[in-house]
Amino acid sequence: MRLLIHMKSSLVGLEVHAQINSTSKLFSGSQVSFSSPPNSRVSYFDASLPGTLPVLNRRCVEAAVMTGLALNCTINMKSLFDRKHYFYADMPAGYQITQQRLPIAVSGLLIYSHLGGPKRNQVISKSIRIKQIQLEQDSGKSLHDEHQSQTLIDLNRAGVGLMELVMEPDMSCGEEAAAAVRELQLILQALGTCQGNMSEGQLRVDANVSVHRPGEPLGVRTEVKNINSIRHLARAIDHEIQRQMELLEQGGVVQNETRAFDQKTGLTIPMRDKEGLQDYRFMPEPNLPPLLLYVSGRVPAGLDPSQVVLVDRVKALLPELPGVRRERLVEEYGILPEHSYTLVNEDGLADYFETVVKATKAEPRKVIGWVVKELLSNLNQQNLKVNQSLVAARALAELLDLLETGHVSSTAAKVVFQELWKNPEKGAEKIIQEQNLGLMSDAATLQIICQKVVESHPEEVDIPKNVIVLNKLMGQVQKETKGRADPVQVRAILQELTSS
């Protein structure tokens, strides 16, 4: 059975719902706020009161255009809105305004990379075709666990602007999907079009999964709905692939259905049959005209250029994207590709690194070691973000300068860093003075300490010209001096004492 399972191929496509970073909703002036009291951010239109009409939010349009440009899409200068009908208790109108026939952006490409190979340091680049990006409203939120016999409705989220990014089935496993969504998340955050906080529902993923034997028709796909974590996304997809393979090997039939992922058990569970186009009963949205975009110099007479969305102006605002930044970091600073991923993938870490590099005399490769090993380990231990670091970039630069100029040894510098973390207001130089951590370079003193260490390790000294022994003796000297001894002088003295 195992051989047959491995002979099957899997296809994974994604639908990503990204909440647009806007202060107000897509079609109303209601404020967008995650932690507001229930039903405190609801306009008459959000609640679908009769006679209310949608007014399109320009910020949401510009965000969708910028996202499309960053993802190599063709921007449709004319797009249309549609009604997608389905009944949810938290969708008062009974339909969603979306873009089904002619969306704002089409035919894009998401280029992403992940680290692979035996040592996880090989950069593997791949791409995913993006079918379309469409603007649409979010639904409200149903609360099932507040009361045992009641479902409560919170409409604060109803009408919040979303970008739905529909990706072609160009992935084959959970790891690829997770890497692609993480890259998309970084791009959206760099653009400022979506904050991408999955724990707050700002980025939600539906995964479409199917399996088939090579050369045979594509299999029936299932949809795993509303995954709100990159780690859970990988687990859900890999489980669903395995479930379908085992089901087919046992002679079963994969149902075209919508499933949910249970984070506790790691299993996908059925929710409902998958809706089809006939269920949604799409129709043109009668209350919204076509959405028209322009470029500078081609705005029709009678239209104020400041009141329309100009695609070329949006394009001019595109920032440095994550993939471009990684390449620049490697080329400009000579760091390893895997280090560029660490810097860019951790929010704010690349900015921290570049600030340190520009403020210190230390080489970038030395800086990256301190940032990745010392800084990140402390942040992870205390579950802090980079912008919450207790050691500022300027403080680390000062410490590295003292290390470069021979005022402190590398061992003692690590002690200073930990003290800086506890007392960030002091500064590296003051800590070195207070704790007497300055580099010990007095030749006579070092000669005495080295002589003492050599005499206390006669069996090691008898082994001629052994590098391991020499390093061990150096370690003993540093232990005696609490890491303050000048390693260059110590090595020279020890080589002289053990050469006879």
Side-chain angles (χ1 to χ4, degrees):
M1 178 189 290
R2 188 168 296 174
L3 178 61
L4 289 173
I5 287 176
H6 284 304
M7 288 174 59
K8 287 190 173 68
S9 296
S10 54
L11 290 176
V12 179
L14 302 177
E15 296 173 9
V16 181
H17 294 85
Q19 179 180 315
I20 298 172
N21 184 19
S22 172
T23 57
S24 56
K25 296 183 180 181
L26 183 58
F27 298 119
S28 79
S30 295
Q31 288 186 331
V32 176
S33 176
F34 174 71
S35 56
S36 297
N39 297 307
S40 63
R41 298 286 186 253
V42 186
S43 70
Y44 293 149
F45 177 79
D46 303 327
S48 297
L49 267 63
T52 57
L53 295 173
V55 178
L56 183 58
N57 183 338
R58 174 175 172 165
R59 158 63 187 164
C60 293
V61 176
E62 291 174 337
V65 171
M66 179 172 280
T67 302
L69 291 170
L71 295 173
N72 309 289
C73 291
T74 298
I75 305 298
N76 284 324
M77 305 306 282
K78 175 182 178 180
S79 58
L80 304 172
F81 287 97
D82 305 280
R83 288 187 180 182
K84 180 181 182 180
H85 291 82
Y86 50 84
F87 174 76
Y88 284 159
D90 51 23
M91 184 171 283
Y95 62 84
Q96 176 191 45
I97 300 179
T98 183
Q99 292 187 308
Q100 192 263 342
R101 291 170 297 158
L102 190 59
I104 196 166
V106 294
S107 304
L109 194 69
L110 170 62
I111 301 170
Y112 72 99
S113 302
H114 61 94
L115 297 175
K119 296 183 180 180
R120 304 292 295 177
N121 61 354
Q122 180 182 348
V123 178
I124 301 172
S125 295
K126 296 190 176 181
S127 62
I128 302 171
R129 292 168 296 156
I130 295 176
K131 181 181 179 182
Q132 63 190 56
I133 300 175
Q134 59 200 48
L135 284 165
E136 62 185 29
Q137 317 165 278
D138 205 348
S139 61
K141 186 177 183 180
S142 297
L143 306 173
H144 305 290
D145 51 3
E146 297 288 329
H147 297 278
Q148 290 184 349
S149 60
Q150 293 180 320
T151 294
L152 304 180
I153 304 298
D154 180 7
L155 294 180
N156 280 348
R157 201 175 66 184
V160 168
L162 298 179
M163 295 178 286
E164 181 178 354
L165 298 95
V166 182
M167 300 182 185
E168 300 285 5
D170 293 339
M171 292 154 282
S172 61
C173 65
E175 181 184 26
E176 290 184 6
V181 171
R182 177 56 179 150
E183 186 71 8
L184 175 62
Q185 185 183 42
L186 290 170
I187 290 172
L188 296 175
Q189 289 170 341
L191 296 173
T193 57
C194 172
Q195 294 180 355
N197 188 334
M198 298 188 78
S199 64
E200 294 185 3
Q202 294 170 352
L203 201 67
R204 308 193 296 272
V205 185
D206 302 337
N208 295 293
V209 180
S210 68
V211 300
H212 67 282
R213 287 188 176 89
E216 294 187 0
L218 299 181
V220 176
R221 68 182 174 90
T222 61
E223 179 185 46
V224 186
K225 195 79 172 172
N226 280 336
I227 306 171
N228 63 353
S229 155
I230 290 176
R231 184 170 63 88
H232 293 155
L233 174 66
R235 291 176 61 207
I237 289 172
D238 288 340
H239 165 74
E240 183 59 20
I241 290 171
Q242 190 66 24
R243 184 192 72 83
Q244 291 186 24
M245 286 180 172
E246 292 176 356
L247 180 63
L248 292 174
E249 292 303 328
Q250 294 166 4
V253 177
V254 176
Q255 300 295 323
N256 181 216
E257 62 183 352
T258 297
R259 302 176 70 88
F261 178 65
D262 188 322
Q263 301 171 7
K264 294 181 180 178
T265 64
L267 306 177
T268 61
I269 53 177
M271 292 174 60
R272 59 179 183 269
D273 292 339
K274 185 75 181 84
E275 298 96 337
L277 289 176
Q278 71 279 2
D279 299 313
Y280 291 133
R281 292 177 290 115
F282 282 103
M283 61 170 282
E285 169 55 51
N287 293 325
L288 285 168
L291 172 57
L292 302 179
L293 307 176
Y294 302 94
V295 295
S296 298
R298 297 185 183 178
V299 179
L303 283 181
D304 183 352
S306 66
Q307 298 300 313
V308 298
V309 175
L310 300 174
V311 175
D312 54 327
R313 288 189 182 177
V314 175
K315 187 173 184 178
L317 298 175
L318 285 173
E320 183 181 46
L321 297 177
V324 176
R325 191 171 198 183
R326 290 191 198 98
E327 292 177 0
R328 180 179 64 78
L329 290 171
V330 171
E331 182 178 342
E332 186 172 339
Y333 300 114
I335 63 175
L336 298 173
E338 56 262 36
H339 286 154
S340 74
Y341 277 84
T342 303
L343 291 177
V344 174
N345 287 19
E346 191 73 33
D347 187 28
L349 195 60
D351 290 335
Y352 187 102
F353 166 77
E354 292 201 86
T355 301
V356 175
V357 168
K358 292 171 183 176
T360 182
K361 299 172 184 175
E363 293 180 357
R365 288 203 173 200
K366 290 184 180 180
V367 175
I368 193 70
W370 282 83
V371 169
V372 170
K373 293 177 183 177
E374 305 300 326
L375 178 73
L376 265 188
S377 62
N378 277 273
L379 291 172
N380 292 335
Q381 284 173 12
Q382 299 186 31
N383 196 27
L384 297 175
K385 297 180 180 179
V386 176
N387 61 8
Q388 297 172 312
S389 172
L390 298 176
V391 176
R394 295 281 178 181
L396 178 55
E398 179 193 356
L399 174 58
L400 294 180
D401 277 344
L402 292 170
L403 178 60
E404 285 294 301
T405 53
H407 285 77
V408 66
S409 70
S410 58
T411 303
K414 293 179 181 179
V415 176
V416 175
F417 184 88
Q418 296 303 325
E419 288 299 316
L420 273 173
W421 195 268
K422 298 173 187 175
N423 302 288
E425 73 284 351
K426 284 191 174 181
E429 195 165 4
K430 187 175 182 181
I431 291 173
I432 291 170
Q433 290 173 354
E434 287 182 350
Q435 302 196 17
N436 195 25
L437 293 171
L439 192 69
M440 182 185 293
S441 56
D442 180 71
T445 305
L446 290 177
Q447 183 76 29
I448 294 171
I449 296 172
C450 289
Q451 184 70 47
K452 177 182 174 183
V453 169
V454 168
E455 289 174 355
S456 62
H457 295 81
E459 64 283 357
E460 282 93 344
V461 176
D462 288 340
I463 304 174
K465 297 182 179 179
N466 190 305
V467 175
I468 296 176
V469 170
L470 187 62
N471 289 338
K472 181 179 179 181
L473 294 174
M474 287 189 66
Q476 290 298 318
V477 173
Q478 292 294 359
K479 186 176 180 181
E480 288 283 333
T481 62
K482 297 182 179 179
R484 295 172 54 217
D486 183 347
V488 176
Q489 290 191 55
V490 170
R491 179 175 290 275
I493 295 171
L494 288 174
Q495 284 176 334
E496 183 180 346
L497 291 174
T498 58
S499 63
S500 55

